[in-house]
Amino acid sequence: GAVVSQHPSWVICKSGTSVKIECRSLDFQATTMFWYRQFPKQSLMLMATSNEGSKATYEQGVEKDKFLINHASLTLSTLTVTSAHPEDSSFYICSARDGPDEQYFGPGTRLTVT
Amino acid sequence: GQNIDQPTEMTATEGAIVQINCTYQTSGFNGLFWYQQHAGEAPTFLSYNVLDGLEEKGRFSSFLSRSKGYSYLLLKELQMKDSASYLCAVRVGSGNTPLVFGKGTRLSVIA
């Protein structure tokens, strides 16, 4: 199946700093990628839909100025958590579709804000 | 809104069969997915149903009834490594619409 990578796999940052997470489709082109967030023992919550060459579409309740998404190419989307706070600590997962059916997930990035 | 319901937790014995149910009420329907997620890892794709009926893939099978808004994932010959969360997800639109996930079912396989 298709491969989606994320970098970094984990990151610890201080409160108030910004963190950038990269999501890449390695063997296919993805005009659309999705960013999810998952808190412990909870399911995946969609944050935003990232569209190559245009603005991301954010879900209700997700601050677009705090979670900056840039879909610079057909294989790369980035999520920047700006002015991070401890409550932003979570597991961030991106996904992309390769074809009409399957949606592949990256390995996730665990963010800890101290 | 979108509503996808699954049992929170289930326990089953190694070697047995377990059925994880999922019901959904969504604004649209364009396919139902099952994913497996081990703790601390990303979900991995298990199955996809868009038409009514049973899809079998090795030890895993998934069933869909669109008229009832119902699906189940059947796991046979359970192994300890099957202990994980199983996520039911629905694609509610066409094109590049995201998946809407249920809260997941944590399955514990015991000896």
Side-chain angles (χ1 to χ4, degrees):
Chain A
V3 178
V4 177
S5 71
Q6 276 184 247
H7 178 80
S9 55
W10 60 271
V11 57
I12 302 173
C13 71
K14 293 186 176 180
S15 186
T17 61
S18 296
V19 174
K20 179 186 284 187
I21 302 169
E22 294 185 349
C23 176
R24 294 181 185 273
S25 56
L26 296 186
D27 50 2
F28 66 102
Q29 294 183 332
T31 56
T32 302
M33 294 182 177
F34 306 103
W35 286 96
Y36 292 85
R37 180 167 55 181
Q38 185 177 35
F39 292 105
K41 296 189 177 181
Q42 296 188 24
S43 192
L44 281 75
M45 296 300 296
L46 179 68
M47 297 177 67
T49 300
S50 172
N51 303 299
E52 189 269 335
S54 65
K55 293 182 179 179
T57 304
Y58 290 83
E59 295 299 297
Q60 192 173 6
V62 178
E63 300 174 56
K64 63 180 181 180
D65 294 331
K66 179 172 180 62
F67 299 98
L68 302 179
I69 291 174
N70 183 13
H71 199 141
S73 73
L74 288 172
T75 60
L76 173 64
S77 174
T78 61
L79 168 69
T80 302
V81 183
T82 63
S83 187
H85 291 286
E87 56 264 33
D88 298 324
S89 298
S90 187
F91 193 46
Y92 292 85
I93 308 174
C94 70
S95 72
R97 287 178 64 181
D98 178 26
D101 299 338
E102 298 188 24
Q103 185 165 318
Y104 295 92
F105 286 85
T109 297
R110 186 160 301 283
L111 171 63
T112 302
V113 184
T114 61
Chain B
Q2 322 292 1
N3 194 33
I4 300 174
D5 288 320
Q6 310 177 232
T8 304
E9 294 184 7
M10 298 183 72
T11 301
T13 306
E14 191 176 16
I17 299 173
V18 70
Q19 177 174 312
I20 303 174
N21 296 323
C22 172
T23 57
Y24 62 91
Q25 298 98 38
T26 55
S27 57
F29 180 83
N30 193 24
L32 187 141
F33 297 74
W34 284 96
Y35 285 84
Q36 180 191 61
Q37 186 180 27
H38 285 98
E41 299 179 12
T44 55
F45 172 81
L46 289 179
S47 69
Y48 166 69
N49 295 69
V50 67
L51 299 176
D52 290 352
L54 187 69
E55 293 281 343
E56 297 187 77
K57 191 184 291 185
R59 295 191 297 115
F60 296 81
S61 302
S62 57
F63 172 84
L64 175 67
S65 169
R66 289 172 297 171
S67 62
K68 295 182 179 179
Y70 167 70
S71 173
Y72 68 72
L73 178 69
L74 193 71
L75 292 78
K76 305 175 185 176
E77 301 171 12
L78 280 174
Q79 302 174 10
M80 301 299 285
K81 67 178 183 179
D82 296 329
S83 293
S85 286
Y86 291 85
L87 309 177
C88 173
V90 173
R91 178 173 291 141
V92 300
S94 60
N96 280 318
T97 51
L99 300 181
V100 178
F101 282 84
K103 293 184 185 293
T105 299
R106 283 192 300 279
L107 173 67
S108 299
V109 180
I110 58 176

